[in-house]
Amino acid sequence: MSTDLPLSRSIAIVSTIAVLVLGASSVAIAAPRAPAVTPPRATDDLRQTSSLVPLTDLAAQRILLSDKVAAAKFGTGRPIDDPAREQQVLDQVTTLSTGMGLDPAAGTRFFRDQIDASKVVQHGLYALWGTRPKLRPADRPDLTTEVRPQLDKITTEVLEQLKATADLRGANHACDIQLSGATASAARHRHLDRLHRDALNVALRSVCTAPSRPTNGTG
């Protein structure tokens, strides 16, 4: 009697061995890969906290609100410069900065630039509306109930970003490059015209300066 196995049985045995070997190999190869998987959301969050984009976008949002500030004041005799209101903003920034562990000097320095940027927009719009009456705003927003609550919300968010980006905002070339890209991104995203782009540059002029040491706040 022949001792050779039938062809079909031989094929079956070889196939079984191959499955076992390949299966073991797959487990051995695949096992180390699992810990390296990073959830997309975590990656996005990391990118946001290590970027100047959120900070520049908030500055752009604040600049656009300057249109409403101008519309609220235009034709009422109220001056663009409002030292009392400006001091209120800076006092609020000092209090919030201290509470969240951000050096108040860094916060107030940045917000002085925001105030100056707002004035750039207001002066520009006043000049435009003075010569082209058809472009004057049809509605007059209420500064107290409509505009300032939005500005206050942005103030808190800006201070949070100033703290989160403290390590990035040094007086160095790397910060300048990142700020340039973030500024261009914010201008495109918010569809800023020349006037508002000029104001954005004013608003961000102190971003790349040597950050002060954070204080021991309770925020």
Side-chain angles (χ1 to χ4, degrees):
M1 179 181 295
S2 172
T3 57
D4 294 338
L5 293 173
L7 179 60
S8 58
R9 187 177 178 187
S10 299
I11 293 174
I13 292 173
V14 171
S15 299
T16 300
I17 294 172
V19 168
L20 291 174
V21 172
L22 291 175
S25 299
S26 298
V27 172
I29 294 172
R33 296 180 181 176
V37 176
T38 303
R41 186 176 183 82
T43 302
D44 292 342
D45 290 344
L46 178 62
R47 184 180 300 115
Q48 288 301 311
T49 56
S50 61
S51 169
L52 293 176
V53 170
L55 178 62
T56 57
D57 188 63
L58 286 168
Q61 291 180 51
R62 197 181 193 283
I63 283 169
L64 289 173
L65 282 173
S66 299
D67 290 22
K68 290 188 175 183
V69 175
K73 294 180 179 180
F74 185 77
T76 66
R78 300 177 66 175
I80 291 176
D81 291 278
D82 188 349
R85 170 59 184 170
E86 293 169 15
Q87 191 58 52
Q88 287 178 356
V89 171
L90 296 177
D91 289 344
Q92 179 192 31
V93 166
T94 297
T95 300
L96 291 173
S97 297
T98 301
M100 65 176 58
L102 175 69
D103 181 8
T108 55
R109 179 175 61 241
F110 188 84
F111 271 88
R112 284 193 183 95
D113 291 343
Q114 308 317 296
I115 292 170
D116 288 345
S118 179
K119 292 179 183 180
V120 168
V121 173
Q122 292 180 61
H123 281 294
L125 292 178
Y126 270 40
L128 177 65
W129 296 339
T131 57
R132 302 183 66 180
K134 290 183 179 181
L135 297 180
R136 293 175 183 175
D139 300 320
R140 190 182 301 282
D142 188 283
L143 278 177
T144 302
T145 63
E146 180 180 349
V147 183
R148 286 176 180 167
Q150 296 180 63
L151 290 172
D152 289 342
K153 180 177 182 296
I154 290 177
T155 295
T156 301
E157 294 175 348
V158 164
L159 291 174
E160 290 171 349
Q161 282 301 316
L162 286 175
K163 183 178 180 180
T165 59
D167 292 339
L168 299 177
R169 295 182 294 100
N172 54 61
H173 190 54
C175 181
D176 291 337
I177 292 175
Q178 186 168 166
L179 179 61
S180 178
T183 302
S185 175
R188 287 194 304 270
H189 179 62
R190 297 294 171 181
H191 307 290
L192 302 187
D193 59 16
R194 177 62 181 273
L195 172 64
H196 293 80
R197 285 174 181 259
D198 289 345
L200 183 60
N201 288 331
V202 171
L204 301 174
R205 63 191 174 190
S206 67
V207 169
C208 291
T209 56
S212 302
R213 292 181 178 272
T215 59
N216 294 322
T218 58

